Amino acid sequence: MNAAFLDPPRPLIRGPALRRALIAGARRVIAQREQLNKINVFPVPDGDTGSNLAFTLGGVLAGALSRRTQGAGDLLRRVGEDAVDGARGNSGAILAQFLTGVAEAAGSARALEPEALARAIRAGAASARQALSEPREGTIISVIAAFADALEHPGGGDLGAWFRRGLEHSRRALANTPNQLPVLAKAGVVDAGAQGFVDLLEGIEEFIASGAIDAVGVADELPADLEAAEGHGELGDADPEHRWCSECLLVGEGLDRAGLRAAMGELGSSCVVIAGSHTRLRLHAHVANPSAMFEVAARFGRVEGAKADDMHAQARTAAGAIAVAVITDSAADLPEAEMQRLNIHMVPARVNFGDQDYLDKVGLSTAEFYRKLRTELVLPRTSQPPPGDFRRQFEFLLSHHRELVYVGLSRAVSGTLQSAETAAQRGHPGRTHVFDTGNASGGEGLLVMRAAEMAQAGADAATILAELARLKPLTLTWALARDIRHAVRGGRIPAWAKPLVDWLGLTPMAKVKPTGRLGVVGGLFGAANQPERFGRYVARRVGRGQRLRVIVGHCDAAADGERLLATLRAELDVAEGWLVETGSAIGAHAGPGALVVSVQPLA
């Protein structure tokens, strides 16, 4: 008799079981994300590795793993694509490239023998290493490599024993990471990305052992101690030359990975990870200037899903101990020094010039916005951040704070607040609080600053929200639109108004009304001494006898802004005053030369 007929049937890994195993692994990583954030010290102590891995795998759960499948190869392909599209951070991009490499090696097979899956995992490990410009041992790539090595010889027909061997090798590699990276040994922690990969494997192993997916969800409450890991480095440990953790998705045909890597090197980027395929690449890098990175990336393909996180702000959050985090959007205009001092986080809106999208104040500085506004033939358009941008930041902040307060742009003029509410409802509605300032620009900024000061002083969210509600009707904003062409072009003002305004020699003045909308309240005749006259107009309506905080914003007109602020100081009791450059939320409609005044009684 042929000996082959005496061999037991070879085990096969089929699509449905593989899908359920990956669901179990992804859910375990998401459940562990807060602990991963707390031990995140490499490559910078920004405390977001768990959130990044959770978002990467959350996209896979919502995409490829949400649909039933018959073929293992097709499932892995879709998992890899979704991981690349949703990858966040160093570890998320590396994991996405690992999954893509596994999928490419697995091909279109409907079922995989252990030997075939082992080869695919080894190919994925090699692919993950190749995604890095400067691979370092003691990170997630070391643990992935150990897992691949242990699976190389399946032997027998016990899939559970085979996978457990790989898991044990991975755990030993994880325990060794402090011996490979001195920063981990100093902090007394293992590498956070590597721990996340082991968490993924442990979730899969639990499914193999029990045949059930552990319905572990996202914890609604944090442990009582909430302290960031003592291993987090000081703020100075973050590279001051590469402050922005920046990412984007490149879409096209025949994407030049080598050319893109070389271009990132010429830009002086660090921590470069390029993950994906010849049609979709996820680019991650630490850079000094996100807009420069996105412009370079656009030479290689269509840029989508751009984001940039301020690692200095993240490091301050990870090292801090206050109970409430404060976050706003880029429509708020406030001094950069105050944002840093009070550790205020920001979600950028989108600014579009023709076919090119930018992240407001991050991928496109305010100064560059006005340069383009003066020179580009196309009218800029602004759009609200999508809920995913809010959710990503909310998740990170809630891994380090009991609660957060989002102090946002007036609901009456933008859907930004609704995006934030959507993100809050999908995450931690009990711990996320959304406040409508009914204001914009400096008025929004003043309310943000007050919220952050109270948070720094130890106030809880309820106390902060009560104070914001008290100050909201007392925080007033006026604007002087000295060139209404942009408002006419954008449809904010009817076309017939410009000839009339020009004929009368009138410069319109507007005020944010109680409804949260900006309405015309008067005008100045003639061009002489407009900053001083506008300042006196505001002073008469504010009234004397109270100490004030004042933010003066200018749209590419700093000298006029200084004259306006000086007038307000002379006319009013200004306890604190700041001059800022007004962002695109106002500038896109009011145009260069516009001036904005926001006042608030000193608390």
Side-chain angles (χ1 to χ4, degrees):
M1 181 179 292
N2 191 326
F5 286 101
L6 300 177
D7 291 338
R10 300 182 65 80
L12 289 175
I13 299 149
R14 303 183 187 278
L18 180 59
R19 171 178 167 266
R20 297 184 69 200
L22 290 172
I23 290 172
R27 286 184 173 178
R28 182 174 180 86
V29 174
I30 292 170
Q32 296 297 318
R33 72 192 186 287
E34 290 166 359
Q35 182 59 32
L36 296 177
N37 283 340
K38 290 182 180 181
I39 65 172
N40 172 204
V41 300
F42 182 84
V44 289
D46 49 358
D48 65 352
T49 292
S51 296
N52 288 335
L53 285 172
F55 268 97
T56 302
L57 291 170
V60 177
L61 279 173
L65 297 181
S66 69
R67 302 183 297 273
R68 296 186 181 278
T69 184
Q70 295 300 318
D74 180 64
L75 172 67
L76 290 171
R77 176 186 60 78
R78 290 189 285 112
V79 164
E81 290 175 351
D82 287 347
V84 168
D85 286 357
R88 292 289 183 270
N90 261 19
S91 296
I94 294 168
L95 178 61
Q97 187 59 42
F98 166 71
L99 294 170
T100 299
V102 171
E104 290 175 347
S108 59
R110 291 183 60 82
L112 294 167
E113 293 184 346
E115 291 85 350
L117 182 57
R119 289 193 298 271
I121 289 171
R122 175 164 291 281
S127 184
R129 185 176 293 271
Q130 292 165 6
L132 291 161
S133 292
E134 300 175 0
R136 294 286 299 274
E137 298 302 331
T139 64
I140 187 173
I141 60 170
S142 300
V143 175
I144 291 174
F147 178 63
D149 289 344
L151 296 184
E152 191 166 0
H153 303 292
D158 188 343
L159 285 178
W162 173 64
F163 190 86
R164 282 193 296 275
R165 185 171 73 243
L167 174 57
E168 287 305 317
H169 276 69
S170 300
R171 285 171 172 159
R172 287 197 291 270
L174 173 66
N176 191 45
T177 58
N179 299 323
Q180 297 171 292
L181 284 175
V183 66
L184 301 180
K186 179 182 177 182
V189 297
V190 295
D191 180 70
Q195 177 67 69
F197 186 75
V198 171
D199 289 338
L200 177 71
L201 299 183
E202 288 178 343
I204 293 173
E205 196 276 333
E206 288 175 4
F207 167 75
I208 293 173
S210 66
I213 298 173
D214 183 8
V216 62
V218 176
D220 289 330
E221 300 295 335
L222 289 175
D225 59 6
L226 278 184
E227 296 178 359
E230 293 181 0
H232 280 295
E234 298 296 327
L235 175 61
D237 291 344
D239 184 355
E241 299 301 320
H242 302 92
R243 170 180 173 180
W244 294 95
C245 177
S246 304
E247 294 178 349
C248 64
L249 180 68
L250 286 179
V251 180
E253 293 294 331
L255 296 176
D256 181 5
R257 186 194 298 259
L260 179 60
R261 189 182 301 282
M264 289 298 104
E266 293 173 2
L267 198 60
S269 309
S270 65
C271 297
V272 177
V273 183
I274 302 175
S277 64
H278 65 281
T279 58
R280 303 179 79 82
L281 286 177
R282 170 66 63 176
L283 169 62
H284 167 280
H286 295 176
V287 297
N289 183 354
S291 65
M293 178 184 127
F294 298 142
E295 287 178 7
V296 169
R299 302 204 304 258
F300 293 85
R302 187 173 75 254
V303 174
E304 296 181 357
K307 73 96 176 168
D309 290 332
D310 182 349
M311 292 185 291
H312 285 195
Q314 289 183 327
R316 287 193 295 268
T317 291
I322 64 173
V324 180
V326 174
I327 185 169
T328 188
D329 52 72
S330 60
D333 292 319
L334 64 163
E336 176 65 25
E338 292 300 294
M339 285 194 68
Q340 294 189 25
R341 181 178 72 85
L342 298 171
N343 200 32
I344 296 168
H345 295 259
M346 183 191 74
V347 177
R350 300 296 198 273
V351 183
N352 171 275
F353 280 92
D355 294 332
Q356 187 65 49
D357 285 317
Y358 301 92
L359 293 176
D360 185 27
K361 297 182 178 178
V362 177
L364 182 71
S365 70
T366 304
E368 181 65 10
F369 166 77
Y370 286 113
R371 189 194 69 77
K372 286 182 172 290
L373 188 60
R374 291 183 184 276
T375 59
E376 294 281 348
L377 296 177
V378 294
L379 182 71
R381 297 183 180 276
T382 58
S383 59
Q384 67 210 42
D389 285 7
F390 281 104
R391 186 177 172 221
R392 178 171 55 83
Q393 294 231 38
F394 287 178
E395 287 285 344
F396 166 73
L397 292 172
L398 287 173
S399 69
H400 297 285
H401 303 273
R402 295 184 191 279
E403 298 176 283
L404 72 82
V405 174
Y406 162 64
V407 186
L409 176 63
S410 171
R411 185 192 304 275
V413 298
S414 171
T416 300
L417 205 82
Q418 184 176 350
S419 282
E421 288 172 335
T422 299
Q425 290 300 316
R426 292 178 180 174
H428 300 271
R431 297 169 55 209
T432 307
H433 309 278
V434 176
F435 183 81
D436 181 358
T437 64
N439 220 310
S441 189
E444 182 183 354
L446 287 168
L447 288 164
V448 172
M449 288 167 56
R450 181 61 186 141
E453 287 169 345
M454 294 183 69
Q456 293 281 348
D460 61 17
T463 304
I464 293 171
L465 292 168
E467 174 68 355
L468 292 179
R470 182 186 74 83
L471 286 173
K472 179 176 176 177
L474 304 176
T475 304
L476 308 176
T477 296
W478 288 266
L480 180 72
R482 305 165 84 185
D483 181 355
I484 67 170
R485 289 178 299 171
H486 297 279
V488 171
R489 291 173 64 195
R492 300 276 174 158
I493 294 178
W496 57 261
K498 186 178 186 310
L500 179 61
V501 167
D502 290 344
W503 180 70
L504 293 173
L506 185 68
T507 301
M509 292 184 295
K511 181 184 178 183
V512 175
K513 301 292 186 66
T515 60
R517 294 187 179 276
L518 198 66
V520 175
V521 292
L524 298 178
F525 289 98
N529 301 318
Q530 283 189 346
E532 291 80 7
R533 292 159 61 203
F534 181 42
R536 289 192 291 269
Y537 172 90
V538 170
R540 288 194 299 270
R541 281 144 186 85
V542 172
R544 293 163 176 80
Q546 54 183 337
R547 304 205 74 196
L548 299 169
R549 282 181 150 179
V550 174
I551 290 180
V552 169
H554 69 89
C555 297
D556 200 24
D560 286 345
E562 290 172 354
R563 291 164 57 190
L564 173 55
L565 181 56
T567 300
L568 293 168
R569 288 186 185 278
E571 296 284 334
L572 298 169
D573 185 2
V574 178
E576 297 175 291
W578 297 272
L579 179 67
V580 301
E581 193 166 30
T582 299
S584 65
I586 297 292
H589 308 295
L595 298 172
V596 182
V597 175
S598 298
V599 300
Q600 182 185 83
L602 187 66

